[in-house]
Amino acid sequence: MSGGPEASDELGMRLKTYEGRAAAVAGQGKDPVNLPMIRHWCEAMGDTNPAYEGPDAMAPPTMLQAWTMGGLSGHSGRSAAFDELLGLLDEAGCTSVVATDCEQEYVRALRPGDEVTFDTVIESVSERKTTKLGTGYFVTTRTDVRAGPDRALAGTHRFRILKYAPAARSRPQEQPRRPRPVVNRDNAGFWEGVEQHRLLIQRCTSCTTLRFPWLPGCNACGALDWDTLEASGEGTVYSYVVMHHPPFPAFDPPYAVALVELAEGVRMISNVIGTPYDKVHIGLPVHLEFQRYDDELVLPVFRAREEVA
């Protein structure tokens, strides 16, 4: 990133006047410090420290911010000054935001039952900076977290964001490619068959059970030896979902993703093409096709049998 003489602009000087002003006053944690949240945190982080369990448990220090978060409904104590600061940035075109880093200082342990309160101040606003994302300003807030009837300081949380105007793209964005399948030693034979426009199903040579997707061993008898059977390509829609959101590059929602039951009895997930998403239904007869998406990628898809006829 870079700064420069242009950083001393009028907007930058106006933003600097907000340093030291409150961003939130007398905020209150939505819940007291409690064992269920501590347990969920420790399970998510894989932290098995016994200090976080039992009647004398303490909260992990790194949970400091968790006790102050407002959730989807947010907090009502945000100050007008902080809203003004963000509004000035939005008006200047700095409408995008990214969190860059945080720092925490721990003063004393929080324990179940502690009621958390906090105050937040706008600690600093940087000069104008240019990054790969765009040009904008780093805004740092400091939150002092307190607990108990005496509101003793438990810790401090500094949070830094970059509010910026996105950089203009210097060249047209390339058409995104479809995601590549993950090919490994257990399923490589399947993808080799797809390249040859053959849909291969594994068959256990011990008990003749068919299996899909490909696995290293039989899930019926545990045997490791297998051969393959080429699918006829006939099937029916066993179940399906319609994807509306979130959008993914190279996909154009809404579209149907179907669980197709092949005539051989196994099921596989794929797309139904050539049929509007709202016309796909359970029991729809389909037939296998192989569709090439680029020079490297061929995928097995299905088309309604009435479209094939």
Side-chain angles (χ1 to χ4, degrees):
M1 71 180 64
S2 64
E6 76 280 6
S8 298
D9 63 340
E10 181 181 350
L11 174 61
M13 291 186 287
R14 290 184 66 188
L15 297 176
K16 282 286 186 181
T17 66
Y18 287 86
E19 291 183 345
R21 298 175 67 178
V25 179
Q28 293 186 331
K30 288 291 183 75
D31 299 284
V33 178
N34 61 83
L35 284 172
M37 286 180 67
I38 292 172
R39 184 179 72 253
H40 294 321
W41 175 280
C42 290
E43 288 176 355
M45 298 299 177
D47 194 335
T48 59
N49 192 321
Y52 308 144
E53 301 176 355
D56 297 322
M58 58 178 284
T62 50
M63 284 189 75
L64 185 67
Q65 185 189 18
W67 308 115
T68 68
M69 298 179 75
L72 294 178
S73 60
H75 281 295
S76 59
R78 198 163 84 171
S79 73
F82 194 53
D83 287 335
E84 290 171 10
L85 172 66
L86 298 181
L88 286 172
L89 287 163
D90 287 339
E91 291 172 7
C94 299
T95 55
S96 295
V97 61
V98 61
T100 60
D101 63 286
C102 67
E103 302 171 8
Q104 293 184 338
E105 301 172 13
Y106 311 118
V107 178
R108 73 171 183 87
L110 293 171
R111 299 187 180 277
D114 280 343
E115 298 277 356
V116 168
T117 59
F118 59 92
D119 298 289
T120 303
V121 66
I122 303 167
E123 190 171 67
S124 66
V125 181
S126 75
E127 295 181 331
R128 188 164 62 193
K129 301 289 185 179
T130 299
T131 73
K132 288 185 177 180
L133 292 174
T135 298
Y137 301 82
F138 289 94
V139 179
T140 303
T141 54
R142 186 192 77 243
T143 299
D144 291 333
V145 181
R146 304 179 185 278
D150 57 351
R151 299 189 73 234
L153 184 66
T156 298
H157 176 79
R158 283 181 174 84
F159 193 68
R160 187 172 294 109
I161 62 172
L162 171 65
K163 281 278 285 177
Y164 65 97
R169 295 185 179 276
S170 57
R171 55 184 178 183
Q173 187 175 11
E174 296 181 359
Q175 180 67 26
R177 301 196 311 167
R178 298 268 296 208
R180 309 289 102 170
V182 177
V183 180
N184 55 41
R185 64 181 182 180
D186 293 327
N187 65 15
F190 170 76
W191 292 108
E192 290 171 2
V194 169
E195 280 289 338
Q196 301 165 12
H197 289 199
R198 303 172 66 212
L199 184 63
L200 301 179
I201 305 170
Q202 276 185 312
R203 177 173 55 192
C204 176
T205 55
S206 178
C207 69
T208 71
T209 297
L210 301 179
R211 63 180 186 263
F212 191 90
W214 282 34
L215 297 169
C218 179
N219 52 8
C221 71
L224 299 178
D225 294 329
W226 52 272
D227 59 13
T228 61
L229 171 72
E230 184 173 353
S232 66
E234 302 301 322
T236 56
V237 173
Y238 184 83
S239 184
Y240 72 98
V241 296
V242 176
M243 297 298 296
H244 292 272
H245 190 80
F248 292 100
F251 292 86
D252 186 21
Y255 55 91
V257 178
L259 179 62
V260 175
E261 185 168 77
L262 299 178
E264 291 74 17
V266 298
R267 299 169 188 157
M268 67 175 291
I269 296 175
S270 186
N271 290 117
V272 177
I273 64 171
T275 300
Y277 71 91
D278 55 351
K279 300 299 182 183
V280 176
H281 60 85
I282 293 173
L284 178 70
V286 292
H287 184 79
L288 174 70
E289 288 187 9
F290 292 91
Q291 184 161 321
R292 179 169 291 280
Y293 290 92
D294 54 46
D295 291 341
E296 302 173 356
L297 183 63
V298 177
L299 293 177
V301 296
F302 291 87
R303 187 182 294 275
R305 200 173 298 159
E306 58 199 39
E307 296 283 332
V308 178

